[in-house]
């Protein structure tokens, strides 16, 4: 059967001399893998440029039940970026989001809410006229709801410390995995922000770096074998300039 859907490219790797294997998060069926043959030749029917990471596509693909690797029949751009691939700040945030998503998503099943969550992040990074410095923090805080370990939204003045292991705010600052009071407040603000408003949360450069480190630690505590995120160090360097 043929599958028609939109998708976001999360990974593209070389396969043989002329082909690519691409991992695409699709609107219709979640994470899918495709082999695209002959794409790295001069006479390719599908341009390799369409399969760049973060590309938003309209796909017609062969979909055989039980097969992990399918083939793409037709492909075209669903949205043309104006800034994201050409601006080092925007692209660094986008690549960080992409790597975290690619290394955590496993299920090949429909999750339209997750697809639209990712889609809106990339569109915001491309089109936003406000600061994008907090977008990766917003992503890490809110992506957890799709992975099954969203923090409890129980922050109060009497529970001002977030425990990374328990995933909840408490009154105990001496716990092994407790964030300090400032970091806990910032996390609470992120959890209650929207993508459009997260830029209004005031963090300095050091606070931003420390909070992303703590959120990645939160992922490590709740996801088995959560790997090192390579784009993290690049993002830190870019956002420090």
């Amino acid at each position: 059967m043929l599958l028609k859907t939109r998708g976001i490219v999360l990974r593209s790797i070389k396969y043989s001399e002329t082909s690519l294997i691409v991992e695409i998060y699709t609107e219709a069926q979640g994470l899918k893998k495709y082999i695209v043959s002959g794409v790295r030749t001069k006479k390719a029917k599908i341009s390799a440029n369409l399969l760049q990471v973060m590309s938003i596509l309209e796909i017609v693909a062969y979909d055989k039940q039980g097969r992990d690797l399918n083939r793409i029949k037709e492909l075209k751009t669903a949205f043309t970026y104006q800034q994201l691939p050409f601006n080092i700040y925007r692209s660094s945030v986008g690549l960080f989001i992409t790597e975290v998503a690619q290394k955590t998503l496993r299920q090949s099943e429909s999750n339209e809410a997750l697809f639209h969550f990712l889609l809106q992040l990339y569109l915001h990074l491309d089109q936003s006229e406000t600061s994008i410095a907090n977008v990766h923090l917003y992503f890490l805080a809110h992506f957890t709801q799709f992975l099954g370990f969203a923090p409890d939204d129980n922050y109060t003045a009497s529970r001002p410390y977030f425990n990374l292991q328990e995933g909840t705010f408490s009154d105990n600052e001496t716990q092994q995995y407790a964030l300090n009071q400032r970091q806990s407040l910032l996390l609470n603000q992120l959890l209650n922000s929207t993508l459009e408003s997260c830029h209004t949360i005031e963090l300095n450069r050091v606070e931003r770096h420390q909070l992303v480190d703590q959120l990645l630690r939160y992922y490590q505590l709740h996801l088995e074998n959560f790997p090192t995120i390579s784009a993290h160090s690049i993002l830190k360097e870019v956002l420090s300039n």
Side-chain angles (χ1 to χ4, degrees):
M1 62 173 287
L2 290 178
L3 172 68
K4 297 181 180 180
T5 184
R6 289 187 297 176
I8 302 167
V9 179
L10 299 183
R11 191 181 184 202
S12 181
I13 57 176
K14 294 179 181 178
Y15 179 75
S16 76
E17 292 296 319
T18 62
S19 303
L20 292 172
I21 291 178
V22 291
E23 295 181 22
I24 300 177
Y25 196 81
T26 68
E27 186 172 14
Q29 292 190 0
L31 188 65
K32 302 289 289 185
K33 289 185 180 181
Y34 298 103
I35 182 170
V36 189
S37 301
V39 72
R40 297 165 56 214
T41 64
K42 292 182 179 180
K43 297 182 179 180
K45 294 182 179 180
I46 296 176
S47 171
N49 290 332
L50 288 176
L51 297 167
Q52 297 292 318
V53 169
M54 299 187 286
S55 295
I56 302 170
L57 306 172
E58 291 184 9
I59 304 164
V60 179
Y62 299 101
D63 188 54
K64 293 188 177 181
Q65 190 172 8
R67 178 175 291 186
D68 292 332
L69 195 61
N70 286 284
R71 291 184 178 273
I72 289 177
K73 182 177 185 289
E74 299 174 13
L75 196 65
K76 65 180 181 180
T77 299
F79 177 82
T80 301
Y81 290 121
Q82 301 301 312
Q83 300 186 75
L84 181 54
F86 317 111
N87 180 295
I88 189 171
Y89 295 97
R90 295 172 189 265
S91 63
S92 295
V93 174
L95 290 172
F96 174 83
I97 289 170
T98 303
E99 185 179 355
V100 173
Q102 189 270 325
K103 288 183 174 179
T104 53
L105 295 176
R106 295 289 178 267
Q107 294 182 336
S108 297
E109 60 184 36
S110 176
N111 189 332
E112 291 188 12
L114 174 52
F115 175 83
H116 286 282
F117 174 74
L118 294 173
L119 178 64
Q120 292 307 310
L121 282 162
Y122 293 116
L123 295 179
H124 182 80
L125 285 174
D126 186 66
Q127 299 174 337
S128 175
E129 296 181 359
T130 60
S131 171
I132 51 95
N134 292 338
V135 169
H136 62 302
L137 295 172
Y138 171 89
F139 161 73
L140 287 174
H142 289 264
F143 189 44
T144 56
Q145 65 183 299
F146 299 103
L147 300 177
F149 54 94
D152 286 343
D153 188 15
N154 67 324
Y155 176 91
T156 66
S158 61
R159 291 193 296 264
Y161 304 102
F162 183 74
N163 184 288
L164 294 169
Q165 188 171 52
E166 300 299 328
T168 189
F169 293 91
S170 77
D171 60 356
N172 188 350
E173 65 177 314
T174 63
Q175 297 174 92
Q176 180 180 359
Y177 295 101
L179 299 187
N180 64 39
Q181 195 164 347
R182 172 64 176 166
Q183 292 169 343
S184 299
L185 172 62
L186 291 171
L187 176 57
N188 176 64
Q189 291 176 342
L190 283 167
L191 291 170
N192 287 281
S193 71
T194 65
L195 180 56
E196 292 74 22
S197 69
C198 68
H199 72 279
T200 63
I201 301 172
E202 296 183 3
L203 299 87
N204 61 40
R205 177 171 54 85
V206 173
E207 288 175 333
R208 192 170 284 114
H209 291 341
Q210 290 176 342
L211 189 54
V212 73
D213 286 342
Q214 294 288 16
L215 285 171
L216 288 175
R217 189 182 181 201
Y218 183 56
Y219 277 61
Q220 291 169 349
L221 287 169
H222 292 271
L223 287 176
E224 186 176 359
N225 300 320
F226 182 70
T228 299
I229 302 300
S230 302
H232 181 205
S233 58
I234 299 172
L235 182 63
K236 272 189 173 182
E237 182 176 347
V238 169
L239 293 182
S240 295
N241 295 329

